[in-house]
Amino acid sequence: GAVVSQHPSWVICKSGTSVKIECRSLDFQATTMFWYRQFPKQSLMLMATSNEGSKATYEQGVEKDKFLINHASLTLSTLTVTSAHPEDSSFYICSASSSGSYNEQFFGPGTRLTVL
Amino acid sequence: GQQLNQSPQSMFIQEGEDVSMNCTSSSIFNTWLWYKQDPGEGPVLLIALYKAGELTSNGRLTAQFGITRKDSFLNISASIPSDVGIYFCAGHRAGTALIFGKGTTLSVSS
């Protein structure tokens, strides 16, 4: 149980385009979903926390207009990187929690974004 | 922001050896978590610790929540090639997000 999927697993796009990444909880209802980014050989950095049906809470330094997060259902959250630039290239990982607790997060397999 | 000091940064060991890594913090945490991440994958939870002094095992893995609540260690006994990966500690306290350490990269040679 507690399986989280992400789609796509990797994406290459041109600079200036927008990219949408989906995060789904497959066998449980995710009250809360978290979005992280991870640079090579670095740790995970939380970008935002989203609760189903409400606006996401962004961490300091994360542009909410650039990284649009939607959590419209208990099993799906999306992250859209708008007007992507090469510096947005990174590994984006989502996690989901059924309890809303930071303690109990199940991570997706990640999405590798490369912006040319 | 809050930092977790995780050490060592990397380890190169022989198959069969035991491994130990730890995380320390200047602040108290209520929960310590240990994750393993394989290349190109998301982290997978190995062990969760909820009480100071708690010692928990998961197969060949053992982790302890430090009595001061500012540190935790993870031991892997009799390492095997599939133990290769990056191990992250993460700490949590009420009202805050999970804070991750910078990871320990483990390499095992057979």
Side-chain angles (χ1 to χ4, degrees):
Chain A
V3 178
V4 177
S5 70
Q6 278 183 244
H7 178 80
S9 55
W10 58 270
V11 57
I12 302 172
C13 69
K14 292 183 179 180
S15 185
T17 61
S18 294
V19 174
K20 180 185 284 188
I21 302 170
E22 293 185 349
C23 178
R24 294 181 185 271
S25 56
L26 298 185
D27 51 1
F28 67 101
Q29 293 186 326
T31 307
T32 306
M33 286 187 172
F34 307 88
W35 286 95
Y36 296 83
R37 66 187 298 181
Q38 184 180 31
F39 292 107
K41 299 187 184 300
Q42 298 293 320
S43 188
L44 284 77
M45 292 183 58
L46 180 66
M47 299 174 66
T49 302
S50 73
N51 292 299
E52 185 265 339
S54 60
K55 289 184 178 180
T57 302
Y58 290 81
E59 295 298 301
Q60 191 173 7
V62 178
E63 299 176 58
K64 63 180 181 180
D65 294 330
K66 180 166 186 64
F67 298 100
L68 301 178
I69 291 172
N70 183 281
H71 190 168
S73 78
L74 285 171
T75 59
L76 173 65
S77 176
T78 60
L79 167 68
T80 301
V81 183
T82 62
S83 186
H85 291 285
E87 57 266 30
D88 297 324
S89 299
S90 187
F91 194 50
Y92 291 88
I93 306 174
C94 73
S95 68
S97 170
S98 60
S99 65
S101 169
Y102 288 108
N103 285 350
E104 299 169 355
Q105 301 179 42
F106 299 96
F107 287 86
T111 296
R112 171 73 59 194
L113 170 63
T114 302
V115 185
L116 302 177
Chain B
Q2 173 68 56
Q3 294 283 333
L4 285 184
N5 299 311
Q6 184 171 351
S7 65
Q9 184 176 3
S10 60
M11 301 181 74
F12 299 86
I13 62 170
Q14 294 277 343
E15 183 177 359
E17 291 183 2
D18 297 341
V19 171
S20 184
M21 58 192 79
N22 69 85
C23 276
T24 60
S25 169
S26 57
S27 301
I28 290 173
F29 287 110
N30 296 326
T31 303
W32 282 95
L33 305 168
W34 284 92
Y35 293 89
K36 183 190 178 201
Q37 185 178 28
D38 292 326
E41 299 288 331
V44 174
L45 181 65
L46 299 174
I47 293 179
L49 303 160
Y50 299 105
K51 291 175 59 176
E54 180 181 355
L55 183 71
T56 299
S57 294
N58 178 7
R60 294 177 296 106
L61 278 61
T62 302
Q64 183 158 31
F65 192 143
I67 200 72
T68 65
R69 295 167 64 192
K70 294 183 179 180
D71 64 311
S72 177
F73 71 74
L74 173 71
N75 287 342
I76 305 173
S77 62
S79 58
I80 59 178
S82 61
D83 291 334
V84 165
I86 304 176
Y87 292 80
F88 289 100
C89 64
H92 176 256
R93 56 180 177 273
T96 67
L98 270 183
I99 298 169
F100 285 83
K102 293 191 175 182
T104 295
T105 301
L106 179 63
S107 302
V108 180
S109 59
S110 54

